[in-house]
DNA sequence: TATTGTTATACTCTATAACTATA
DNA sequence: TATAGTTATAGAGTATAACAATA
């Protein structure tokens, strides 16, 4: 007897206190932004996650850094970083070179192909950023970033 | 010859364009907020993720809803929801009852123990929210939430 | 002894595809 | 036929513990 729900007729649920919670709104927004990032790259035939983009920028701007230093900057464990670097290296974007000063560490760097790819990626990120900020004035965007940074510092001191 | 990096002496990396990207700042803030949530609950001897909290609130406010309806509201696949419900049910917080009107669906609901737990959880969430918003005036917090909602609607229209 | 990178392992979140029972 | 829930499976992100090479 119950009929299949027609998309336009699905009753929105009661979300109670959730929409007034900063953490909840932050998480939902982040999820939508992630989806937009993925769609932007997919439409351009490119495969990259926001995390991979951040990693590539960090390696480009700090060529020669070690895996430990990179893991610390990304806020992840060094063991978590290994398969991520494996994948980017397999794609020919990044190399682990021997460090000239410390036999234990790798000096990370982008390949020429990685540099070129990063330029393409950066263009797509700008497109994506324009879209997600399309409902905001540039003043609002700056305000939003500043407020988010304030939240981040408040959350970090545990 | 290289010495171990002393925490207070670790040079911050050059992040290039990243700090000006809304998506990047959003992701880092979300990560710090998640860590604060986890720490708040861990200190109180409770184990709960933000996602589980949102799910419990949704079930409480919409008792009897189906797994499909819940998955839709959470933005996840119905198969993803199964093990999540399994865990909450195993903890005695939630039940799958037979629907009186449709033999295919489950009517979800909180157990009395789940209701009581949710009250405790909500108190911890308020503590957590106070901390992450501690650097903001209440006006700023409302502004932040409004701006995030604007971003979310801009990101969703693909 | 301590650090770096790696491996083995485990857990969670996510999805797709196929199965079942019901509609 | 179509929908709801489940299972099997797979990929990515996360961690801890232990190991080899190096400091």
């Amino acid at each position: 007897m119950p009929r299949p729900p027609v998309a336009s007729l699905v009753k929105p649920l009661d979300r109670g206190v959730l929409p007034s919670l900063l953490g909840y709104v932050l998480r939902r927004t982040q999820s939508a932004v992630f989806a937009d990032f993925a769609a932007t790259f997919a439409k351009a035939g490119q495969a990259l996650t926001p995390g991979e983009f951040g990693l590539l920028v960090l390696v480009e701007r700090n060529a020669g850094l070690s895996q430990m230093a990179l893991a610390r900057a990304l806020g992840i464990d060094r063991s978590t970083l290994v398969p991520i670097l494996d994948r980017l290296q397999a794609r020919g974007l990044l190399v682990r070179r021997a460090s000239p000063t410390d036999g234990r560490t790798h000096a990370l760097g982008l390949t020429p192909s990685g540099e070129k790819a990063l330029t393409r990626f950066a263009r797509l990120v700008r497109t994506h950023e324009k879209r997600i900020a399309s409902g905001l004035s540039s003043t609002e965007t700056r305000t939003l970033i500043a407020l988010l940074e304030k939240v981040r510092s408040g959350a970090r001191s545990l």
Side-chain angles (χ1 to χ4, degrees), chain A:
Chain A
M1 187 138 293
R3 291 261 300 298
V6 177
S8 56
L9 292 180
V10 174
K11 246 189 299 192
L13 297 190
D14 178 357
R15 295 187 184 261
V17 70
L18 296 177
S20 72
L21 298 179
L22 186 48
Y24 181 78
V25 175
L26 201 48
R27 201 158 57 86
R28 296 197 97 205
T29 305
Q30 154 65 20
S31 165
V33 166
F34 186 97
D36 187 286
F37 187 103
T40 303
F41 275 72
K43 191 152 53 177
Q46 306 283 327
L48 202 77
T49 65
E52 288 169 340
F53 178 73
L55 187 155
L56 291 176
V57 170
L58 251 27
V59 172
E60 191 202 31
R61 306 285 299 195
N62 307 273
L65 89 172
S66 71
Q67 295 185 196
M68 268 305 294
L70 180 56
R72 218 177 289 124
L74 294 172
I76 64 178
D77 191 84
R78 67 191 197 271
S79 69
T80 303
L81 185 56
V82 173
I84 299 173
L85 293 180
D86 287 348
R87 229 181 314 125
L88 294 171
Q89 191 161 20
R91 289 172 64 181
L93 303 177
L94 172 150
V95 281
R96 290 160 158 125
R97 298 201 185 84
S99 163
T101 60
D102 187 337
R104 296 169 302 181
T105 69
H106 287 155
L108 300 174
L110 297 189
T111 62
S113 158
E115 298 276 3
K116 263 184 288 191
L118 184 51
T119 303
R120 275 199 316 277
F121 296 155
R123 209 173 310 136
L124 288 170
V125 166
R126 278 194 294 276
T127 302
H128 156 69
E129 283 277 322
K130 242 178 257 168
R131 192 201 318 272
I132 65 176
S134 61
L136 278 58
S137 69
S138 34
T139 303
E140 284 178 320
T141 303
R142 275 193 303 273
T143 300
L144 176 51
I145 289 179
L147 291 175
L148 287 171
E149 285 294 358
K150 278 197 200 176
V151 170
R152 190 163 73 88
S153 42
R156 270 160 42 89
S157 50
L158 298 179

